[in-house]
């Protein structure tokens, strides 16, 4: 495994490869990231993983400065997982001047759910991903399905810009109790870690209710929010959406979509000082 820190070094090294497979990350890697690396291995002739904590996608009050950086452990884990190239640019390398040009994703998919509670988040995500795509030149890129809205936004961006990249979603890995693996799980205090599984439990109950024929999604969402709030959570949203475009399904189509894997339930909530997100297919 080779570690590169500049764009020029990366491009020179990748010049002899035709089908790079790319996994962008912010480091502090867990088994979910490593599963993406292993998934990428047979999909390209070289596997590139980026490690870059992207300031553009953090709001001023969020955890950019304290986001966990675990460089040595990340590199050891990536090498064991079969990564060929780690691209770890500095902020000055990736943003040598103020990033005046940005990607503005359409509001109907980017200003809802996460985008509503984190204004500008998907502008930052799309901008850095587009820039990393320009650096790596991948033919396939893998993103975890835990960040389902992000996956949808990136897939639409690639499609509308006609980029020659196949964007693939990787299955969400979970702890034994059902908690979705996330770098921010490291923030959880012991008592909050025990409670954290309640988010996936709430989403599972919503998904099952939809499969059982409940089409009153407003009540499902409100009851799930109230249930978490009663346990001491601060929920941002627990929502039922169409999986293809993340829009609110109309009542007439809910039963059909619930029987054809056409719905997704998504949630974001804070327990203690840690904000968790998760989603489940219906």
């Amino acid at each position: 495994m080779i570690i590169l820190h500049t764009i020029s070094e990366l491009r020179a090294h990748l010049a002899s490869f035709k089908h790079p497979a790319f996994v962008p990350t912010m480091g502090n890697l867990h088994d979910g990231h490593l599963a993406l690396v292993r998934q990428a291995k047979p999909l390209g002739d070289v596997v590139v993983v980026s490690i870059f904590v992207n300031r553009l996608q953090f709001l001023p009050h969020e955890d950019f400065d304290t986001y966990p950086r675990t460089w040595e452990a990340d590199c050891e884990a990536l090498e064991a997982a079969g990564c060929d190239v780690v691209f770890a640019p500095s902020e000055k390398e990736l943003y040598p001047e103020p990033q005046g040009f940005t990607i503005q994703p359409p509001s109907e998919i980017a200003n809802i759910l996460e985008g509503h509670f984190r204004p500008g988040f998907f502008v930052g995500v799309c901008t850095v991903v587009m820039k990393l795509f320009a650096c790596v030149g991948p033919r396939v890129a893998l993103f975890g399905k835990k960040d389902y809205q992000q996956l949808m936004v990136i897939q639409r961006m690639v499609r509308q810009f006609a980029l020659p990249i196949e964007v693939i979603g990787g299955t969400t890995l979970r702890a034994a109790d059902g908690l979705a693996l996330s770098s921010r799980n490291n923030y959880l205090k012991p008592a909050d870690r025990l409670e954290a599984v309640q988010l996936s439990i709430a989403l599972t109950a919503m998904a099952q209710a939809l499969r059982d024929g409940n089409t009153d999604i407003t009540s499902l969402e409100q009851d799930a929010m109230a249930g978490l709030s009663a346990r001491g959570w601060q929920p941002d949203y627990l929502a039922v959406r169409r999986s293809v475009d993340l829009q609110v399904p109309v009542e007439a189509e809910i039963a059909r979509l619930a029987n054809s894997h056409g719905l997704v339930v998504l949630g974001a909530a804070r327990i203690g000082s840690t904000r968790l997100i998760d989603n489940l297919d219906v």
Side-chain angles (χ1 to χ4, degrees), residues 53-278:
V53 184
N54 178 42
R55 187 187 298 270
L56 290 187
Q57 68 194 67
F58 287 79
L59 295 177
H61 67 277
E62 293 184 331
D63 57 340
F64 174 80
D65 290 326
T66 59
Y67 191 86
R69 275 81 163 172
T70 53
W71 170 252
E72 292 184 1
D74 289 348
C75 288
E76 290 177 6
L78 287 172
E79 187 164 25
C83 176
D84 300 306
V85 179
V86 175
F87 178 47
S90 66
E91 193 167 27
K92 185 173 179 59
E93 176 67 20
L94 205 59
Y95 298 124
E97 59 187 77
Q99 190 68 31
F101 287 89
T102 58
I103 301 293
Q104 303 287 328
S107 60
E108 68 269 17
I109 193 170
N111 292 346
I112 60 174
L113 303 170
E114 282 298 286
H116 175 76
F117 288 94
R118 303 178 70 188
F121 172 71
F122 287 112
V123 173
V125 167
C126 289
T127 300
V128 75
V129 169
M130 182 68 88
K131 199 158 193 178
L132 288 169
F133 282 170
C135 296
V136 177
R139 290 297 173 263
V140 60
L142 292 93
F143 295 79
K145 288 184 178 179
K146 183 184 76 70
D147 300 294
Y148 190 82
Q149 186 177 4
Q150 174 177 278
L151 175 63
M152 294 291 101
V153 170
I154 296 299
Q155 286 180 331
R156 184 176 294 194
M157 180 183 77
V158 166
R159 183 173 69 249
Q160 291 196 0
F161 279 103
L163 301 180
I165 303 169
E166 181 183 7
V167 177
I168 296 175
T171 301
T172 301
L173 266 64
R174 297 181 179 276
D177 64 355
L179 176 66
L181 298 189
S182 169
S183 297
R184 287 187 169 92
N185 290 351
N186 294 334
Y187 295 159
L188 292 167
K189 297 177 180 178
D192 292 338
R193 171 60 188 85
L194 292 174
E195 175 65 21
V197 69
Q198 293 299 324
L199 178 58
S200 65
I201 290 174
L203 294 175
T204 299
M206 292 174 68
Q208 188 58 54
L210 290 163
R211 296 188 196 103
D212 290 342
N214 189 333
T215 60
D216 187 353
I217 61 173
T218 298
S219 292
L220 283 177
E221 293 172 348
Q222 291 176 346
D223 290 348
M225 294 268 286
L228 285 183
S229 295
R231 298 184 66 93
W233 290 70
Q234 297 172 282
D236 286 341
Y237 59 86
L238 283 93
V240 179
R241 296 299 173 101
R242 292 198 298 252
S243 58
V244 67
D245 59 7
L246 291 182
Q247 301 307 299
V248 178
V250 299
E251 185 172 358
E253 66 182 348
I254 292 173
R256 174 180 58 82
L257 292 174
N259 288 307
S260 60
H261 305 292
L263 295 177
V264 60
V265 289
L266 309 101
R270 190 176 299 276
I271 180 65
S273 60
T274 305
R275 187 175 184 271
L276 302 177
I277 69 170
D278 198 356

